[in-house]
Amino acid sequence: FCRNHGRGRHLWMSVSRELVQDAQRDLSDVGCHVNVHDGAEVLDQMQGGKKGKGLGAGGSLGKGVLFVTYSLLVSGKRMEDIICWLAGGSSGSKLTAEQRTSMEQSYSGVLVFDEAHKAKNLESDTRTAKLVISLQERLPNARVLYCSATGVSDIKHMVYATRLGLWGSANPLYPTFDSFQEALVKRGVGAMEMLALEMKRQGVFLARTLSWDGAEFHTLEVKLNKDQIGQ
């Protein structure tokens, strides 16, 4: 799949540039043996219209996974460079608006939003949330994976997860996120639990916890003397 979809180009977005090696390891562990490129280096080569070595379709940087951070996404015009790389273009190529839109809409690769809760604060008008949503809109046929170890404590924090199909054109009952949020808020915590069950049933939500297999603990009783108790 990694080699045959999205022109062989995919995106992994996370919180720290140092996690690029972890991304390479995790992909290899699940049998996805593709190159993971440091997005900052790749995008620097594209900056200013210069076609860097290996950025072409057959080059070493022409396929694989582009690893970027949320802070890089909101830096200057980096989002345009990210979309350009994913859609198969290069910063030095001259394309009409129609050609660019066609390339973006035909892109079918994978967008992984690791630590996705970084984009939860659209209500606070954060640039990160806006660009994460915009990225998904610009690449409508991309496969999207949201990963987070932080639970959704408030329904408003799901606003970035537009590809779940819970609101919008995919669900006529809730044409907007506001209408979806209002319906769940009225029904309280029980509705949130039912939502989680329904998402699991549809196969769009997967939850895992660390195993306690092999873990051990011992209870130690320590007697304190009068001086220790006094302190």
Side-chain angles (χ1 to χ4, degrees):
F1 180 91
C2 288
R3 293 183 176 88
N4 298 328
H5 287 76
R7 302 180 180 87
R9 300 183 178 193
H10 311 280
L11 180 72
W12 185 307
M13 191 172 296
S14 194
V15 294
S16 173
R17 187 177 178 182
E18 283 70 32
L19 295 175
V20 62
Q21 296 300 326
D22 295 319
Q24 181 76 73
R25 179 203 62 210
D26 292 346
L27 288 172
S28 297
D29 286 347
V30 296
C32 184
H33 302 288
V34 295
N35 293 324
V36 178
H37 309 299
D38 186 323
E41 295 180 359
V42 173
L43 298 182
D44 279 343
Q45 292 191 38
M46 296 178 65
Q47 193 75 19
K50 297 179 180 179
K51 188 173 181 180
K53 183 178 179 181
L55 282 173
S60 60
L61 301 179
K63 290 188 176 182
V65 177
L66 187 70
F67 185 93
V68 302
T69 62
Y70 291 98
S71 58
L72 185 65
L73 175 69
V74 301
S75 175
K77 296 182 179 180
R78 290 300 201 182
M79 178 168 158
E80 296 302 322
D81 291 335
I82 291 171
I83 292 177
C84 181
W85 186 86
L86 290 172
S90 62
S91 56
S93 60
K94 295 181 179 180
L95 300 173
T96 65
E98 291 77 10
Q99 289 174 321
R100 188 177 297 108
T101 299
S102 177
M103 291 179 68
E104 293 174 5
Q105 292 184 345
S106 64
Y107 174 76
S108 60
V110 179
L111 308 179
V112 177
F113 294 105
D114 185 26
E115 304 290 353
H117 56 272
K118 296 292 286 185
K120 70 181 182 180
N121 292 319
L122 184 65
E123 189 178 59
S124 302
D125 201 30
T126 64
R127 182 169 167 78
T128 300
K130 287 182 177 180
L131 291 184
V132 166
I133 293 175
S134 178
L135 182 62
Q136 296 173 81
E137 292 174 345
R138 294 271 299 271
L139 304 171
N141 289 308
R143 279 77 166 172
V144 179
L145 174 64
Y146 308 105
C147 304
S148 178
T150 302
V152 178
S153 58
D154 194 310
I155 193 64
K156 66 182 180 182
H157 295 158
M158 293 181 65
V159 65
Y160 64 85
T162 58
R163 293 300 183 85
L164 293 178
L166 300 175
W167 63 87
S169 58
N171 191 341
L173 289 175
Y174 307 111
T176 65
F177 177 75
D178 289 339
S179 61
F180 172 75
Q181 180 180 5
E182 182 181 1
L184 264 70
V185 169
K186 284 182 178 179
R187 292 167 175 79
V189 178
M192 291 283 285
E193 294 177 350
M194 291 299 295
L195 174 62
L197 290 173
E198 178 62 17
M199 289 170 60
K200 286 185 176 181
R201 186 191 69 80
Q202 293 181 7
V204 298
F205 176 49
L206 183 65
R208 290 290 184 268
T209 58
L210 293 177
S211 171
W212 290 96
D213 185 38
E216 298 180 355
F217 74 93
H218 301 277
T219 301
L220 300 178
E221 183 178 343
V222 179
K223 295 183 178 180
L224 303 179
N225 57 39
K226 293 182 178 179
D227 293 335
Q228 291 173 321
I229 295 174
Q231 295 176 357

